[in-house]
């Protein structure tokens, strides 16, 4: 069955909005995401999911040269960055978009749906 | 002759083969090869009694040959290109037509709007990439890339080849109708320089509208859109004068309107309104039916038109609908009342040239020439359609003389 990557991207606008929220504001979102995760598991669509720490905590390793170089900080200075994601199994894009709709409602953010490269048959 | 039959049948052949082989590319290539065979054989042997079935059988043979050849070479790659349809084959009446699956795939919301239009014209309409590129005035390579990219997304992202579930159907049908109406308007109101009406696109949109109506006769908006396009098309012979100037509705020679198209359009309007599920296209078609019902412009039933725009505003509120309602009200209650309604839309419509053209006309009728002139100037500054430019320039210059 095809797998899809459901990405929750953050940007300056969503960061600014988050900064105005209290822990209490987040409670309903956390509960909705939990419920969504349960629904994914129960239907068999769940593969993996996770929220990422702040991008300030990232480290970049570049081993394309002679010796690996480790640097601090996000890989790119782009305005949009990955905040969290789900990996799901779905029969086709319509099924994946249905999950993405529910995920977007649950996490109160936009969700980007990307298909995984198809595995060559063994 | 061969080309005409081929274009008529192309959509059916490709849709049927896509279902059978699970790949649009395989289906399209095979249909192309079948054409080459037809071009060779038909002029000698004559056109077969059922050219569609002949083309489908020939194309299917070509596709099987090709898959056999390629399966030796790279089975894995071939499998990766396949799109699957594992929905149970339920008997759903006319909805079973493979072309309907194809319409929903081509007009899928996950595709870019311009790609939806191009794919629909290519795979359902049977236009060549070169013809579509020409119609939309983009280089052929650009159009080829757009179509290739969209087909790659269909296969890669797993856009399904099936009619959407009943729950999603109304929204998805609305998306399909929007594509067809966009093709029609691109032909009818072309913003391209030097080409005021591009027959090929309006003709193609109407043909697609007829296919959709045959496939979804129970959806009143589908019938409404076909009626709207027919009633608009009916007036086309009178819409542009010999010198390329736009002729507005009240000044058109109604004898030049196409009676058969008007009769067909009126019958369709009556039919869909009788289902009592009004929608945007049905109401716009009904408005056009009222216009085409009047023997002379002065006989137009403006109260009916104002009422229909009122209904349209209720289900699909927009400042453009309000502008059109104001035009009808101006005919009923005078230009001053109409102008008051139009002026309320300043702001939301200040970048829309018909707003300024409507204001200019109402101000002219009220004898406020200086204001009318600057409104014509504002409209002209926003237009790139030569026929409309010619018309509005003439109206403005008549003011200057008067």
């Amino acid at each position: 069955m095809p797998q899809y990557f459901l990405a929750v991207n953050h940007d300056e606008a969503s960061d600014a909005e988050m900064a105005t929220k209290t822990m209490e504001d987040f409670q309903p979102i956390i509960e909705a995401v939990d419920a969504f995760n349960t629904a994914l598991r129960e239907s068999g669509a769940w593969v993996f999911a996770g929220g990422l720490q702040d991008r300030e905590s990232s480290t970049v390793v570049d081993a394309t040269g002679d010796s690996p170089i480790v640097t601090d900080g996000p890989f790119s200075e782009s305005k949009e960055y990955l905040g969290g994601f789900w990996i799901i199994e779905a029969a086709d894009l319509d099924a994946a978009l249905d999950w993405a709709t529910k995920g977007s409602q649950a996490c109160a953010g936009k969700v980007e749906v990307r298909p995984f490269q198809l595995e060559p048959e063994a | 002759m061969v080309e005409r039959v081929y274009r008529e049948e192309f959509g059916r052949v490709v849709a049927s083969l896509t279902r059978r082989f699970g790949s649009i590319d395989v289906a399209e290539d095979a249909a192309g090869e079948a054409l080459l065979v037809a071009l060779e054989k038909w002029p000698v042997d004559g056109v077969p009694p059922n050219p569609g079935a002949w083309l489908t059988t020939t194309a299917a043979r070509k596709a099987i040959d090709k898959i056999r050849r390629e399966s030796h070479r790279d089975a894995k790659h071939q499998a990766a290109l396949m799109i699957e349809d594992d929905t149970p084959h339920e008997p759903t009446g006319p909805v079973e037509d493979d072309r309907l699956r194809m319409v929903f795939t081509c007009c899928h919301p996950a595709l870019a709007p311009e790609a939806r239009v191009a794919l629909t014209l290519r795979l359902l309409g049977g236009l060549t990439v070169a013809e579509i590129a020409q119609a939309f005035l983009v280089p052929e390579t650009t159009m080829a890339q757009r179509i290739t990219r969209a087909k790659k997304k269909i296969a890669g992202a797993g856009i399904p080849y099936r009619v959407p579930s009943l729950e999603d159907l109304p929204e998805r049908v609305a998306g399909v109708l929007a594509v067809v109406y966009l093709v029609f308007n691109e032909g009818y109101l072309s913003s391209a320089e030097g080409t005021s009406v591009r027959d090929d696109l309006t003709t193609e949109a109407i043909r697609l509208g007829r296919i959709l109506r045959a496939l979804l006769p129970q959806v009143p908006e589908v019938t409404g859109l076909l009626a709207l396009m027919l009633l608009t098309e009916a007036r086309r012979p009178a819409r542009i004068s010999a010198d390329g100037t736009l002729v507005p509705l009240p000044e058109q020679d109604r004898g030049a309107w196409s009676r058969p198209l008007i009769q067909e359009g009126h019958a369709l309007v009556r039919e869909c309104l009788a289902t009592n599920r009004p929608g945007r296209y049905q109401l716009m078609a009904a408005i056009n039916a009222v216009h085409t019902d009047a023997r002379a412009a002065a006989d137009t039933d403006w109260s009916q038109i104002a009422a229909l725009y009122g209904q349209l505003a209720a289900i699909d509120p927009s400042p453009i609908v309000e502008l059109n309602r104001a035009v009808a009200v101006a005919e009923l209650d005078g230009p001053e009342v109409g102008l008051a309604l139009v002026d309320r839309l300043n702001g939301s419509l200040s970048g829309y040239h018909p707003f300024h053209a409507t204001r200019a006309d109402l101000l002219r009728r009220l004898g406020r020439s200086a204001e009318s002139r600057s409104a014509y100037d504002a409209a002209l500054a926003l237009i790139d359609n030569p026929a409309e430019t010619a018309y509005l320039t003439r109206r403005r210059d008549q003011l200057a003389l008067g």
Side-chain angles (χ1 to χ4, degrees):
Chain A
M1 178 120 54
Q3 293 189 341
Y4 294 85
F5 186 72
L6 272 47
V8 181
N9 293 315
H10 291 182
D11 58 21
E12 281 166 357
S14 64
D15 284 351
E17 204 200 318
M18 295 259 258
T20 67
K21 292 197 167 164
T22 63
M23 276 316 284
E24 257 172 52
D25 294 333
F26 281 115
Q27 200 50 42
I29 293 176
I30 291 167
E31 282 166 21
V33 170
D34 277 349
F36 175 66
N37 288 341
T38 306
L40 278 174
R41 283 203 172 88
E42 283 173 355
S43 76
W46 170 280
V47 178
F48 189 75
L52 298 173
Q53 285 189 27
D54 202 282
R55 64 173 166 170
E56 309 300 310
S57 62
S58 74
T59 308
V60 178
V61 178
D62 182 358
T64 57
D66 291 337
S67 55
I69 301 167
V70 174
T71 43
D72 169 45
F75 172 66
S76 73
E77 292 299 326
S78 73
K79 291 194 175 115
E80 249 188 30
Y81 63 96
L82 188 65
F85 61 89
W86 290 278
I87 297 170
I88 63 163
E89 280 192 337
D92 55 41
L93 185 65
D94 279 358
L97 295 180
D98 279 347
W99 283 119
T101 304
K102 293 186 181 107
S104 169
Q105 285 161 350
C107 75
K110 288 183 197 170
V111 173
E112 180 184 352
V113 179
R114 283 182 69 180
F116 275 86
Q117 290 185 7
L118 296 161
E119 289 281 326
E121 277 168 47
Chain B
M1 170 62 191
V2 177
E3 281 90 345
R4 195 184 58 77
V5 176
Y6 179 75
R7 185 186 276 196
E8 290 292 318
E9 300 295 339
F10 182 86
R12 213 186 292 268
V13 175
V14 170
S16 155
L17 265 62
T18 299
R19 175 160 169 73
R20 181 157 165 198
F21 296 104
S23 161
I24 290 174
D25 281 328
V26 167
E28 202 184 349
D29 288 350
E33 286 187 53
L35 171 66
L36 294 181
V37 181
L39 282 171
E40 199 178 296
K41 287 205 166 166
W42 292 4
V44 184
D45 305 343
V47 177
N50 185 345
W54 187 95
L55 283 167
T56 304
T57 310
T58 308
R61 263 190 225 123
K62 293 283 177 190
I64 290 166
D65 288 349
K66 190 173 180 200
I67 289 168
R68 280 210 189 105
R69 280 198 308 273
E70 294 199 350
S71 65
H72 293 298
R73 218 167 53 214
D74 57 356
K76 285 174 187 173
H77 179 67
Q78 196 56 37
L81 285 173
M82 296 278 184
I83 53 173
E84 305 276 344
D85 171 42
D86 48 13
T87 49
H89 190 75
E90 290 159 13
T92 40
V95 169
E96 262 188 293
D97 191 305
D98 287 325
R99 284 176 304 173
L100 197 57
R101 295 165 180 268
M102 188 60 95
V103 175
F104 285 111
T105 302
C106 291
C107 297
H108 197 281
L111 298 170
E114 65 271 18
R116 291 178 220 165
V117 169
L119 274 183
T120 304
L121 288 172
R122 169 76 197 121
L123 297 175
L124 212 73
L127 271 67
T128 64
V129 175
E131 285 167 333
I132 302 167
Q134 207 177 13
F136 284 92
L137 304 153
V138 300
E140 194 177 332
T141 47
T142 309
M143 187 54 78
Q145 277 165 2
R146 191 178 291 172
I147 292 175
T148 305
R149 191 173 164 268
K151 283 193 290 189
K152 215 176 134 194
K153 178 159 185 187
I154 290 172
I159 291 178
Y161 186 61
R162 66 156 177 262
V163 175
S165 65
L166 216 54
E167 181 194 347
D168 295 335
L169 200 61
E171 202 178 316
R172 294 287 305 279
V173 167
V176 171
L177 296 180
V179 166
V180 174
Y181 195 43
L182 205 135
V183 171
F184 183 81
N185 275 333
E186 184 65 28
Y188 196 74
L189 312 166
S190 168
S191 58
E193 198 168 332
T195 54
S196 287
V197 175
R198 271 175 297 163
D199 307 10
D200 43 358
L201 287 181
T202 51
T203 308
E204 209 44 54
I206 289 173
R207 195 158 73 82
L208 290 170
R210 288 191 191 283
I211 294 173
L212 284 176
R213 174 166 151 75
L215 298 173
L216 294 166
Q218 76 282 21
V219 182
E221 279 291 84
V222 171
T223 306
L225 175 61
L226 178 58
L228 172 62
M229 294 192 294
L230 292 175
L231 292 174
T232 310
E233 178 71 5
R235 303 198 306 259
R236 187 159 61 140
R239 190 173 171 260
I240 309 276
S241 70
D243 65 358
T245 307
L246 184 86
V247 185
L249 190 56
E251 294 167 30
Q252 286 178 10
D253 169 14
R254 292 176 183 233
W257 289 355
S258 162
R259 292 318 300 177
L261 289 181
I262 289 175
Q263 275 159 10
E264 189 186 357
H266 283 188
L268 292 171
V269 167
R270 278 193 297 273
E271 183 197 303
C272 61
L273 289 181
T275 62
N276 207 15
R277 284 186 285 154
R280 190 170 161 251
Y281 296 113
Q282 295 171 75
L283 289 169
M284 290 200 288
I287 290 162
N288 277 276
V290 177
H291 280 301
T292 46
D293 217 18
R295 297 249 163 233
D299 299 339
T300 307
D301 184 349
W302 287 105
S303 66
Q304 178 90 293
I305 289 180
L308 287 165
Y309 275 118
Q311 259 188 290
L312 191 55
I315 60 164
D316 184 20
S318 89
I320 293 174
V321 172
E322 286 306 327
L323 178 69
N324 286 314
R325 199 173 71 86
V327 170
V329 169
E331 295 297 329
L332 277 177
D333 302 332
E336 197 142 22
V337 184
L339 184 63
L341 292 176
V342 171
D343 279 340
R344 269 196 241 157
L345 304 168
N346 192 13
S348 51
L349 288 184
S350 52
Y352 182 64
H353 76 81
F355 165 76
H356 298 286
T358 304
R359 275 197 81 230
D361 186 56
L362 294 172
L363 288 163
R364 177 187 62 78
R365 280 149 71 181
L366 289 165
R368 292 156 65 175
S369 302
E371 289 166 88
S372 174
R373 189 167 305 124
S374 50
Y376 277 122
D377 287 336
L380 283 163
L382 294 166
I383 299 182
D384 55 5
N385 177 308
E388 282 197 88
T389 303
Y391 168 72
L392 290 172
T393 307
R394 205 190 72 209
R395 287 321 280 263
R396 184 195 59 191
D397 295 349
Q398 281 168 349
L399 265 183
L401 292 171

